[in-house]
Amino acid sequence: MDEKKIYKILQDWFPELHNRKLPEKDSRGEFSTFLQWIHPEKMANRYRAYLMTVVADSPFEHELEKCALLQNRGLDLLPVHTQIRERVNPLFAHYEKHKAVIGKYYNVMDQAFDIVFEEIVKLLECYNMDLLIIYAEQYHWIAVPEDAEKIEKFCKLFNKQFADLDVSIEHYALFDCSRST
């Protein structure tokens, strides 16, 4: 397998990454190498990133403001942050109030992260972008231009490259069906 392909697709999506030397062939299959290669850059007084991390115990820390594609658009992200808080806080309050009935095995954080990703994908869709989520020790997300064929190819190559490391990626999408709670 040519591990270089995922890096080339990322460079195609994000031309700024052409300035970065591709990792050596023998280390391209390491997820830590991938993370190091795509790390955020500090420009002026803020970070620009193509791969954002969601803090494991706080859905309110999702690095939305670091996303280079959103920075390029000069968006006010406060409404998205507000919407996430307005949807997640009642979820936490309900869980705390009914924890004894709901049970200790219910993972409220998974539901909170779903809300975060739903709000991010709604924002991205307004600008013809899609959301990719990487499942590793932490959740990571990438905003990419809409291109179903390229996204599918990237996800397939990524999953193949990091399968042995228990790291995977998915193209996140909203579903029109209602949820039961």
Side-chain angles (χ1 to χ4, degrees), residues 100-140:
V101 175
I102 294 172
K104 63 182 180 183
Y105 298 107
Y106 175 76
N107 191 339
V108 70
M109 292 307 284
D110 281 349
Q111 195 168 357
F113 288 132
D114 279 342
I115 291 170
V116 170
F117 293 135
E118 286 172 9
E119 292 303 321
I120 292 172
V121 82
K122 282 195 260 182
L123 172 66
L124 296 177
E125 285 177 345
C126 293
Y127 299 98
N128 300 318
M129 292 185 268
D130 281 322
L131 178 66
L132 305 180
I133 300 177
I134 297 174
Y135 300 96
E137 287 182 24
Q138 295 182 312
Y139 290 132
H140 302 279

Side-chain angles (χ1 to χ4, degrees), residues 10-173:
L10 287 166
Q11 287 178 327
D12 187 40
W13 279 329
F14 313 120
E16 289 176 31
L17 295 178
H18 281 283
N19 298 331
R20 298 182 186 186
K21 183 181 174 208
L22 294 181
E24 297 297 323
K25 184 173 181 151
D26 61 341
S27 66
R28 286 185 202 140
E30 298 171 20
F31 188 61
S32 59
T33 299
F34 174 80
L35 291 176
Q36 186 177 15
W37 183 80
I38 198 168
H39 71 280
E41 288 186 322
K42 189 166 188 176
M43 300 183 93
N45 60 349
R46 64 181 176 172
Y47 283 94
R48 285 180 58 80
Y50 297 99
L51 177 79
M52 283 59 63
T53 302
V54 178
V55 175
D57 59 353
S58 178
F60 303 117
E61 296 179 42
H62 40 68
E63 299 187 340
L64 190 63
E65 64 286 340
K66 289 184 181 180
C67 179
L69 292 183
L70 296 176
Q71 287 178 7
N72 292 348
R73 297 191 177 275
L75 302 176
D76 176 12
L77 300 174
L78 183 59
V80 179
H81 288 287
T82 302
Q83 183 65 20
I84 289 170
R85 286 195 182 284
E86 287 176 357
R87 290 186 62 202
V88 171
N89 283 335
L91 173 69
F92 286 152
H94 178 78
Y95 177 72
E96 284 302 315
K97 183 177 179 182
H98 300 287
K99 191 186 298 187
V101 175
I102 294 172
K104 63 182 180 183
Y105 298 107
Y106 175 76
N107 191 339
V108 70
M109 292 307 284
D110 281 349
Q111 195 168 357
F113 288 132
D114 279 342
I115 291 170
V116 170
F117 293 135
E118 286 172 9
E119 292 303 321
I120 292 172
V121 82
K122 282 195 260 182
L123 172 66
L124 296 177
E125 285 177 345
C126 293
Y127 299 98
N128 300 318
M129 292 185 268
D130 281 322
L131 178 66
L132 305 180
I133 300 177
I134 297 174
Y135 300 96
E137 287 182 24
Q138 295 182 312
Y139 290 132
H140 302 279
W141 63 275
I142 305 173
V144 298
E146 274 183 358
D147 184 339
E149 192 174 303
K150 188 181 280 189
I151 290 170
E152 183 179 342
K153 179 180 179 180
F154 179 80
C155 290
K156 185 182 269 187
L157 291 167
F158 185 97
N159 285 329
K160 187 174 181 181
Q161 183 158 327
F162 298 115
D164 294 343
L165 303 175
D166 200 26
V167 174
S168 64
I169 194 168
E170 76 171 358
H171 180 191
Y172 190 86

